[in-house]
Amino acid sequence: MPTPLKVYFEIPDPFASYYLDDFTITTEAVDGGGGGEVGPQELLNSTFEDGTTEGWAARGAATVANSTVQAHNGTHSLLTSGRAANWNSPSINMT
C-alpha cells in the first residue's frame, strides 16, 4: 500500500499572501523488470487553468482561491491569503 503524502508550503512572513502555479510531482524512473526501465510517472500536475483550486485546501487560517491576477504560465494560479501563522498555507492530500 502506498504511503499517503501531504504537500504544503510555509514562508517566514506569517501574514504574506502568495501565489502557487505550475506545480508537478513525479516518481523516479524505476526498473520495470525484464530489462526495461519504467520512466517517471506524473502523480500531480496543478496548473489551476480550469478555474478551480484542483483539490488544494487551506491549512489553518489561510484562504485559497483560484486567481487570474498573477500567473507563471497561462492565466490562472492559486492565491493563498488571510494567513495568521507561517504554517497557514495551501495543502493537498495525495493518497
Side-chain angles (χ1 to χ4, degrees):
M1 173 185 279
T3 302
L5 174 66
K6 184 169 191 164
V7 177
Y8 64 93
F9 298 88
E10 288 187 14
I11 63 172
D13 182 344
F15 303 106
S17 297
Y18 57 92
Y19 297 90
L20 174 66
D21 198 7
D22 296 329
F23 183 82
T24 303
I25 295 178
T26 60
T27 63
E28 294 182 315
V30 296
D31 181 357
E37 183 175 86
V38 176
Q41 302 292 311
E42 189 174 276
L43 301 177
L44 176 69
N45 182 20
S46 294
T47 65
F48 308 104
E49 292 303 314
D50 67 359
T52 72
T53 62
E54 296 184 11
W56 290 83
R59 291 180 70 224
T63 299
V64 295
N66 191 287
S67 175
T68 58
V69 173
Q70 185 171 350
H72 173 261
N73 205 4
T75 58
H76 293 260
S77 63
L78 185 73
L79 170 63
T80 302
S81 60
R83 301 172 64 243
N86 67 344
W87 61 269
N88 295 166
S89 64
S91 67
I92 191 164
N93 286 319
M94 299 178 59
T95 53

